[in-house]
Amino acid sequence: MGKGFYEVPLAVNEPIKDYAPGSPERKAALAAYKEMYNQTIDVPMYINGKDVATGDTATMSPPHDHKHILGTYHRARKQDAQAAIDTALAARGKWAATPWEQRAAIFLRAAELIAGPYRAKINAATMLAQSKTIYQAEIDASCELIDFLRYNVQYMTEIYSEQPESTSGAWNRLEYRPLEGFIYAITPFNFTAIAANLPASAALLGNVVVWKPSDSQIFSAKILMDIFKEAGVPDGVINVVFGDPVMITDTVLASPDFSGVHFTGSTNVFKGLWQKIGTNIHNYKTYPKIVGETGGKDFIVAHSTSNPIQVATAISRGAFEFQGQKCSAASRAYIPKSIWPAVKKRVIEDVNSFKMGSPEDMSNFITAVIHEGSFDKLASYIDAVKDDSDATIVVGGGYDKSEGYFIEPTVIETTNAKYSTMCTELFGPVITIYVYEDYLWEETLHTVDQTSEYALTGAVFSEDRYALEVAMKILENAAGNFYINDKPTGAVVGQQPFGGARASGTNDKAGSKLNLYRWLSPRMVKETFVTPTDYRYPFLGE
Ligand code: NAD
């Protein structure tokens, strides 16, 4: 900066297209889907602006059609992980010195590329390899990602303009430097938007990044890299490595220049990372920033005054969209005895009306879970219910992996508020219901608060303000994103900053200024205009 105080375009949420039959967006998405399905691609890593192919490859397949091969990707050797670090550090000086408006322009351009020419492609890739319906792909890979990029640019300018007071004699300036060193971004399979945002948000602020996507998201990660490149992210600023997470992570965390991790994924992986960083702490040049958004055991709790149909709809959408593989997905619900028959009837009707299959058939509401490991885990929990005396299956309970990893949306009812599926994150289309006596509202809220180690999202339904007030208080620490009379999923960038506490993460709120502060190391500059020349203060006079 230097020749103007520039205003960036005001960030607005990207409108969601509806993909109705006959619409141009539906035709474009299906055409892109078919084209990608019928090709076989080879995805190299991307280090210092160059494709790196190691020959150590693994295949990529649609979860809903796992015998079909979409292509291969190349796995890193230790020297590739090291090259990604070295190249990021080499790029740092120039990138950190690049004026903010140039960085902003690159990421605003990426947003427009996704909104326009890449929209069908990034949505189709997310449908194919992460098995999202077109609507789930649109709200993730297009809209949420565009929102992250646009809002982060705006938040960056708001942060830069936060300045201390000055006097006529001294000018105080806060310079928002990027971190010294490099950032390590580790991303999950379930959101293409998160995969892009974790490296991009740090890079926007002038940091350089080593990015390791999930093995199950590489197909769309390749398109993200193409977009970043076309938008003008310079070589070496975001470097992508694939493969063995432990080897890559150990290599990264051994670097004295490691200055922060931007992680989204499961709780145990994050705790392991934190532990390794602690063990290495004496090796680092700077205290690393540790930002992680992790697991959840998200709840719906209904009061006896709530509308049973609204509660049932929140369960059907909140638990089953994207097969329950949203960190915010409802996976335990507490329903009062008086309204349970009506809620149950509607949920059973809803679940029985869901169509399940490939996302290519856009009338399907449910598609496959991400991989065989997830399928087997879910099937084992469903099987256990069949043997347990304190739980029954209300609807669903079937599964089949002959063609794709299909788990029927399943509702379990338990008489044990601490039943395993009330406590453990399963990350699939399974919700467990505990029915409580209507008069035990406060006791039930305490149970909700104390049942799981997580505190990500939660929803309370009630028409009684006093009951809501009690819930707000008792559940104060039970969720980082708390919903009243709404499902606990669907946070929108700019509207509901997202993140949880307890074992759900460091609650740095992706899609808000709070997150961006973590990738900055402010330098305070005080400039005195007339510098004193005598140490004696007036009070020292005779
Ligand atoms: P995961 O923990 O299996 O993988 C996340 C990333 O960590 C991947 O890139 C993976 O390769 C890497 N990883 C795995 N083992 C590692 C190790 N030992 N060391 C370093 N890296 C390692 O998670 P997932 O299955 O991809 O995603 C689902 C999880 O993510 C769920 O627990 C979900 O709740 C959570 N999630 C949370 C949020 C949030 O905002 N809180 C958002 C999305 C997903």
Side-chain angles (χ1 to χ4, degrees), residues 115-136:
Y118 278 91
R119 194 178 198 121
K121 214 172 168 185
I122 194 78
N123 284 347
T126 303
M127 292 166 73
L128 259 176
Q130 288 141 273
S131 207
K132 291 206 173 193
T133 63
I134 181 58
Y135 184 72
Q136 292 299 317

Side-chain angles (χ1 to χ4, degrees), residues 54-82:
T54 58
D56 174 12
T57 57
T59 56
M60 299 176 288
S61 296
H64 46 275
D65 183 6
H66 54 62
K67 292 193 187 80
H68 181 79
I69 306 277
L70 293 170
T72 48
Y73 65 89
H74 291 255
R75 289 191 283 223
R77 302 155 298 189
K78 193 171 168 56
Q79 65 260 38
D80 302 310
Q82 190 59 49

Side-chain angles (χ1 to χ4, degrees), residues 286-362:
T286 184
Y287 293 107
K289 302 274 179 102
I290 306 177
V291 174
E293 297 306 329
T294 57
K297 190 70 196 169
D298 310 302
F299 59 83
I300 291 175
V301 53
H303 185 251
S304 54
T305 56
S306 58
N307 175 324
I309 303 304
Q310 292 175 0
V311 173
T313 304
I315 291 174
S316 297
R317 285 185 168 175
F320 300 128
E321 282 182 307
F322 188 38
Q323 297 74 257
Q325 298 170 118
K326 298 186 184 190
C327 43
S328 54
S331 61
R332 53 184 172 127
Y334 301 78
I335 312 292
K337 206 170 177 179
S338 60
I339 68 164
W340 174 231
V343 174
K344 183 174 172 178
K345 181 170 175 288
R346 175 54 84 95
V347 170
I348 293 173
E349 282 166 12
D350 282 354
V351 170
N352 287 334
S353 73
F354 293 163
K355 274 186 68 191
M356 183 163 76
S358 162
E360 189 180 4
D361 174 350
M362 292 196 179

